[in-house]
Amino acid sequence: MAHNESMVVVNGSQVSCIGHDWEDIPDFLGAKYGEVARRLDLSFNQLRSLTGLKAFSRLEELIVDNNLLGNDLQLPRLPRLHTLTLNKNQISFALLEHLAEVTPALEYLSLLGNEACPNQLVSMDKDEDDYQRYRYFVLHKLTKLKFLDTRRVTQWERSEAEARGAFMKVVKPKNDQVTRKRAKACSYPVTRLPRSWVFTKCRYVYYGKHSEGNRFIRNDQL
């Protein structure tokens, strides 16, 4: 994809390059705006790598929603970065330890729409308990977070994450495991009728004259 400088929108220290199908960050972006940019928005592209961020050493906010970023994502060290949104990419939990190393000032993180985040909007087999366990696990890895996704981190969550967050990782079952469980649930025994049994109509009609219940009911009670 050709990179065109006219696609870049600049407003003071805010730089936006949205919806241009870029597969990587062009060199001219860092050379021209790396020293001045405090907020960089690269949403709705086709990014698989963020190696071009090395020139943005003063970056404080990074938005890279709706891209193709995966677990092999490597960020340069960004000591001032406090806000990172990675919504709707292809990220699982493997990235968290890397973020803890290269973004020491990170306070706001959003991972909605990724494999790591068991949100009901993208996975109907997940519930609020799954999402809460996910929050504990992320907070265990990234202890300075104040916001995760759309919710503020509470003191209770922080305490729970410190106590047992390491054991709260939400694992998505493999498709073959789900298939086996469903097959096992449906494999109950079925008793078949003998072939010698024949169903037919009965010629007798029951009128209820000799019913045990009728002997205790008088006509004036009907």
Side-chain angles (χ1 to χ4, degrees):
M1 178 73 183
H3 302 135
N4 191 335
E5 293 191 36
S6 63
M7 297 176 175
V8 181
V9 178
V10 181
N11 183 9
S13 62
Q14 302 183 29
V15 179
S16 300
C17 313
I18 302 173
H20 302 311
D21 293 331
W22 287 356
E23 297 179 0
D24 53 27
I25 300 175
D27 294 335
F28 80 82
L29 197 66
K32 192 170 184 178
Y33 305 107
E35 292 296 320
V36 299
R38 300 294 180 271
R39 183 180 189 273
L40 179 61
D41 192 341
L42 299 170
S43 300
F44 293 95
N45 282 288
Q46 302 291 325
L47 296 175
R48 297 179 183 271
S49 170
L50 296 179
T51 55
L53 290 178
K54 293 180 180 179
F56 293 84
S57 59
R58 299 183 181 182
L59 203 60
E60 297 176 2
E61 299 180 51
L62 176 61
I63 299 94
V64 283
D65 300 338
N66 291 274
N67 278 282
L68 301 175
L69 301 171
N71 290 324
D72 57 347
L73 175 63
Q74 292 293 309
L75 290 170
R77 183 170 177 80
L78 300 170
R80 300 186 182 185
L81 192 73
H82 57 71
T83 299
L84 175 61
T85 69
L86 291 159
N87 300 320
K88 292 190 176 181
N89 280 278
Q90 301 170 3
I91 293 169
S92 65
F93 290 111
L95 183 65
L96 297 179
E97 293 186 8
H98 176 62
L99 291 180
E101 295 176 2
V102 299
T103 57
L106 193 63
E107 296 181 346
Y108 178 97
L109 174 67
S110 187
L111 295 172
L112 292 171
N114 286 280
E115 181 183 341
C117 179
N119 187 279
Q120 285 185 307
L121 294 177
V122 295
S123 181
M124 294 303 296
D125 62 336
K126 302 299 181 183
D127 55 24
E128 180 62 25
D129 291 337
D130 292 320
Y131 180 72
Q132 189 61 64
R133 286 194 294 272
Y134 144 83
R135 288 179 65 87
Y136 291 146
F137 185 77
V138 174
L139 294 174
H140 170 73
K141 294 291 185 180
L142 302 171
T143 58
K144 295 182 180 180
L145 287 184
K146 295 181 179 179
F147 279 86
L148 177 56
D149 300 329
T150 60
R151 284 161 42 178
R152 179 186 291 274
V153 176
T154 65
Q155 186 57 45
W156 169 259
E157 286 181 315
R158 203 174 298 282
S159 299
E160 287 292 301
E162 183 179 356
R164 55 184 65 86
F167 311 103
M168 293 291 181
K169 184 175 180 180
V170 181
V171 180
K172 183 179 180 180
K174 296 181 180 179
N175 291 335
D176 57 341
Q177 292 178 339
V178 174
T179 302
R180 286 199 298 269
K181 287 182 179 180
R182 290 177 178 175
K184 184 176 180 181
C186 296
S187 61
Y188 50 84
V190 178
T191 303
R192 299 183 181 275
L193 293 176
R195 293 184 178 180
S196 58
W197 286 22
V198 178
F199 293 92
T200 185
K201 294 182 179 179
C202 179
R203 296 182 179 181
Y204 298 100
V205 179
Y206 174 68
Y207 293 100
K209 293 181 179 180
H210 303 290
S211 169
E212 291 292 326
N214 290 342
R215 67 171 62 182
F216 300 104
I217 301 175
R218 301 193 305 272
N219 291 335
D220 60 349
Q221 292 177 324
L222 295 175

